Amino acid sequence: MRKLAVALIIIFNCLAVSALEMKISKETPLEITANEVTGNSKTREVSYKGNVLLKHSGNILRSEKLTLLPGSNKIIAEDRVTFLSENRQVEITGQYTEYLKDTGQLTMKKEAVLVFSDKDGVKTDIRGAIIEVYNSGERAIVSGDVKIKRADIVINCGNADYDRKLERIILEAEPKVKKGVNMYRGDKITIFVRQRRLVAEANVFAKIYPEEKKNADKN
């Protein structure tokens, strides 16, 4: 019984220190549920395991393991990670995530997939080696074997910067865009989503089929 009491005191102390360092307030409470929680008195890390659910500022993070790091506001989630921002209609999945509490910045690695759902119901599926999300999904920077799919548009490139507020996607590192049967390449390609406009720069190559061009002109 004494050993159990000591263990609980250590865990509670670690939780208190983590809460203090992360500046959890009444305005931005951090809610966490899990199957088990352990605290390390030496490293002051607090780890949650099994069906972990974290809620913060309207954001929801699920994983099998979650670690609160001392001395910073960083939260690390691992194994079957899902991040959902219901207000922004953003969902991110992967195997490893770093989440910064003060800014809400999230970095997803390992099998990273980001899905945006627009107001008109159209979904944008973005995949890459690393996905960095800012402002609860207002902006996403993707790098490493990037693949983007939206309606009849399929994109491959090395780096992509998607600004939802500006409704603009900037593609670099050998970008290639296919819209239907048409194809566009260039050193840099900018897509203005709402305007349905594409701008390719430097070393531009395009393959446009007459029927597709006719349909594009009608739009």
Side-chain angles (χ1 to χ4, degrees), residues 77-127:
E78 302 173 75
D79 192 8
R80 291 190 294 175
V81 183
T82 300
F83 174 87
L84 177 65
S85 178
E86 294 177 330
N87 296 334
R88 304 291 184 178
Q89 296 181 311
V90 174
E91 181 176 356
I92 312 169
T93 59
Q95 296 299 320
Y96 179 89
T97 296
E98 294 181 0
Y99 178 75
L100 300 182
K101 178 185 170 294
D102 60 350
T103 62
Q105 178 185 337
L106 181 142
T107 301
M108 182 72 78
K109 303 177 183 179
K110 300 180 182 179
E111 303 175 21
V113 179
L114 168 62
V115 178
F116 289 128
S117 297
D118 293 345
K119 294 179 180 179
D120 54 8
V122 179
K123 290 188 176 182
T124 302
D125 184 298
I126 303 176
R127 300 165 188 257

Side-chain angles (χ1 to χ4, degrees), residues 49-50 79 117 121 127 129 156 197 204 209:
K49 295 181 180 179
D79 192 8
S117 297
R127 300 165 188 257
N156 295 87
R197 185 163 63 94
V204 177
Y209 292 84

Side-chain angles (χ1 to χ4, degrees), residues 49-62:
K49 295 181 180 179
N51 298 315
V52 182
L53 173 62
L54 179 148
K55 295 181 180 181
H56 177 252
S57 298
N59 298 323
I60 298 174
L61 181 64
R62 299 177 184 271

Side-chain angles (χ1 to χ4, degrees), residues 108 110-113 126-131 142-147:
M108 182 72 78
K110 300 180 182 179
E111 303 175 21
V113 179
I126 303 176
R127 300 165 188 257
I130 300 175
I131 297 178
V142 191
S143 58
D145 192 22
V146 181
K147 295 180 176 64

Side-chain angles (χ1 to χ4, degrees), residues 19-35:
L20 181 61
E21 291 174 338
M22 295 181 68
K23 299 180 181 178
I24 297 173
S25 65
K26 293 181 180 180
E27 292 74 24
T28 58
L30 193 67
E31 300 178 17
I32 304 175
T33 59
N35 291 344

Side-chain angles (χ1 to χ4, degrees), residues 105-216:
Q105 178 185 337
L106 181 142
T107 301
M108 182 72 78
K109 303 177 183 179
K110 300 180 182 179
E111 303 175 21
V113 179
L114 168 62
V115 178
F116 289 128
S117 297
D118 293 345
K119 294 179 180 179
D120 54 8
V122 179
K123 290 188 176 182
T124 302
D125 184 298
I126 303 176
R127 300 165 188 257
I130 300 175
I131 297 178
E132 297 176 281
V133 179
Y134 302 86
N135 301 324
S136 297
E138 286 293 342
R139 184 184 180 193
I141 297 178
V142 191
S143 58
D145 192 22
V146 181
K147 295 180 176 64
I148 302 175
K149 181 173 176 51
R150 176 186 170 88
D152 64 340
I153 299 175
V154 178
I155 299 170
N156 295 87
C157 62
N159 301 302
D161 186 338
Y162 190 177
D163 192 315
R164 295 187 74 202
K165 187 174 182 180
L166 298 178
E167 296 183 310
R168 181 191 66 193
I169 308 175
I170 299 176
L171 312 170
E172 295 180 296
E174 301 182 2
K176 178 181 178 181
V177 178
K178 289 187 68 177
K179 186 179 187 305
V181 295
N182 295 338
M183 186 271 290
Y184 307 87
R185 290 203 307 257
D187 288 352
K188 178 181 178 181
I189 295 177
T190 302
I191 298 176
F192 299 91
V193 179
R194 184 62 58 183
Q195 300 174 24
R196 296 183 180 180
R197 185 163 63 94
L198 179 150
V199 177
E201 304 175 45
N203 299 313
V204 177
F205 174 82
K207 185 181 288 186
I208 304 173
Y209 292 84
E211 290 185 2
E212 291 287 327
K213 184 175 186 303
K214 188 184 296 184
N215 292 334

